[in-house]
Amino acid sequence: MIKFSPNSSLPLVSAVIPTRNRPELVVRAVRSALAQTYPNLEVVVIIDGPDRSTVEALSDIYDDRLRFFELSNSVGGAQARNEGVRRSCGEWIGFLDDDDEWLPDKIWKQIEIANRLGKEFIICSRMIVISPNTNDVWPKRFPKNGESISEYLLNRTRFFKGEAQIQTSSFLISKDIFDRVKFRSGLKKHQDLDLYLRAANLDGIKFFFDENILSKWYIEQSIPTVSQNKDWRYTLDWASENSHLFEGSSLSGFLASQASTEIPPESISIALRLYIPIMMRNNARPIDYAILFLILLIRGEYRRKVSGFIRNIPKRNYASL
């Protein structure tokens, strides 16, 4: 039973958290959602398959706003999120990955914006990005006038990540919009990007970017994630099948800056024979080629260390917020 706040004029917001076999992390995420200053909130956790340790951990949280559901079989992250929304009651949905956190005013500030703009907007905010090498605030910039979401996200103007970003734990979406797009079940990778691009291509859906820093995103941690699964053939097939979602030269930007990170050293020559022709046909910019070759030359952990060094650890310790 959902207990609504005394102020019934406030719309109910549902925090949807998918998880599997990470009880300590999901408890941290749940507590950050329950600590919101926004009062009319429920937290819906979908446990993606039998997971007794997570059930026990969540059972120790005594808060009527929390509901959790253990699925009989694993359905994957995308469908788990869809299941969470299906079982939620809110007018607005805030997704929270089980290894991320919300800052206390996240929902208050985004609902204020949503009430002003309307339900056709997806409200995106800045986030603290925490990695072993550095912590920083992303995105560094928001879309320019006339810049599509695909071009904003994928057409880099600098060598390292963080310039442009939407991250699942950082946005708020109305249930009306989500019912039109949903996460595509069965995708092994690129579930979030797939949703952003499809939403941007639907009439009547807009993105709004807010200056506030409202969540914590933990990256490059020593825990498995979907994005760490390296399968460049799958990624290339996904991009080719969905090429209609990429505007301008953003498909080239995606291949250069994201797909290339999945190429193992022994497959570089094969991948280049496939990537370069596609990039040439899709108006690749000089910086796309430069990023591609930089990623191929400086592999994995070395690239992350170089990135952290060049960014220089910020003077402010954002991780302590």
Side-chain angles (χ1 to χ4, degrees):
M1 177 66 68
I2 301 302
K3 291 192 174 181
F4 295 87
S5 79
N7 188 346
S8 59
S9 65
L10 294 175
L12 179 67
V13 175
S14 299
V16 174
I17 308 175
T19 190
R20 181 173 172 82
N21 295 327
R22 303 203 289 197
E24 296 85 4
L25 289 176
V26 74
V27 165
R28 182 183 69 183
V30 166
R31 293 195 184 283
S32 78
L34 293 173
Q36 292 297 294
T37 56
Y38 186 82
N40 210 19
L41 176 118
E42 65 165 347
V43 178
V44 179
V45 179
I46 299 296
I47 304 171
D48 187 23
D51 181 357
R52 183 175 179 179
S53 61
T54 297
V55 170
E56 291 176 349
L58 294 175
S59 297
D60 288 336
I61 300 176
Y62 300 102
D63 194 308
D64 291 335
R65 297 171 297 166
L66 171 64
R67 294 184 292 142
F68 57 89
F69 303 89
E70 184 183 29
L71 303 183
S72 58
N73 297 290
S74 176
V75 296
Q79 187 57 30
R81 287 169 174 164
N82 292 340
E83 285 292 321
V85 175
R86 186 177 69 81
R87 297 167 192 246
S88 68
C89 303
E91 297 176 43
W92 290 87
I93 307 296
F95 293 101
L96 178 57
D97 289 347
D98 65 359
D99 54 346
D100 294 333
E101 295 179 81
W102 284 348
L103 298 183
D105 288 337
K106 196 256 189 192
I107 298 300
W108 250 130
K109 292 184 180 298
Q110 290 186 324
I111 281 292
E112 287 178 344
I113 295 168
N115 286 338
R116 186 174 75 247
L117 296 179
K119 289 187 174 181
E120 68 272 22
F121 281 86
I122 298 174
I123 313 299
C124 308
S125 300
R126 284 196 161 102
M127 71 208 87
I128 302 164
V129 179
I130 301 167
S131 78
N133 295 316
T134 187
N135 63 80
D136 204 350
V137 171
W138 293 0
K140 298 297 185 185
R141 71 172 185 91
F142 294 148
K144 303 171 186 175
N145 288 336
E147 186 178 25
S148 69
I149 290 297
S150 64
E151 291 171 309
Y152 165 68
L153 291 174
L154 302 170
N155 281 357
R156 289 194 196 175
T157 61
R158 46 188 277 172
F159 284 102
F160 297 106
K161 293 187 288 187
E163 175 189 12
Q165 190 74 53
I166 303 173
Q167 197 268 339
T168 317
S169 299
S170 70
F171 72 79
L172 188 73
I173 186 171
S174 72
K175 199 166 188 176
D176 293 344
I177 287 182
F178 184 79
D179 286 342
R180 294 179 61 190
V181 292
K182 296 184 179 178
F183 286 97
R184 278 208 284 182
S185 181
L187 288 183
K188 290 170 53 179
K189 292 180 62 66
H190 314 302
Q191 301 162 0
D192 300 349
L193 180 61
D194 179 85
L195 181 137
Y196 308 147
L197 297 186
R198 287 187 294 108
N201 276 267
L202 289 178
D203 291 336
I205 297 179
K206 304 174 185 177
F207 289 77
F208 178 85
F209 290 81
D210 170 38
E211 292 281 355
N212 288 299
I213 302 168
L214 299 179
S215 59
K216 292 183 180 181
W217 181 21
Y218 293 86
I219 65 171
E220 300 169 5
Q221 309 294 317
S222 57
I223 51 177
T225 65
V226 170
S227 62
Q228 290 173 350
N229 297 328
K230 305 298 184 184
D231 187 344
W232 69 268
R233 291 180 179 85
Y234 178 88
T235 289
L236 184 59
D237 289 343
W238 173 81
S240 299
E241 291 168 5
N242 294 281
S243 60
H244 61 285
L245 299 177
F246 296 82
E247 298 187 45
S249 60
S250 61
L251 177 56
S252 294
F254 172 76
L255 294 178
S257 64
Q258 295 194 26
S260 60
T261 63
E262 302 180 15
I263 302 173
E266 65 272 15
S267 300
I268 289 177
S269 62
I270 298 174
L272 286 179
R273 290 203 295 270
L274 297 174
Y275 281 37
I276 295 297
I278 296 174
M279 292 173 63
M280 292 177 66
R281 292 196 300 270
N282 287 273
N283 305 312
R285 304 162 302 152
I287 193 171
D288 294 328
Y289 295 113
I291 289 172
L292 173 66
F293 286 105
L294 178 68
I295 288 174
L296 295 180
L297 289 172
I298 306 176
R299 308 300 293 176
E301 182 62 26
Y302 296 105
R303 189 170 62 252
R304 288 189 286 271
K305 289 181 178 179
V306 171
S307 175
F309 175 79
I310 291 178
R311 287 185 195 133
N312 200 2
I313 296 177
K315 294 178 181 178
R316 184 177 183 185
N317 182 16
Y318 293 107
S320 65
L321 293 179

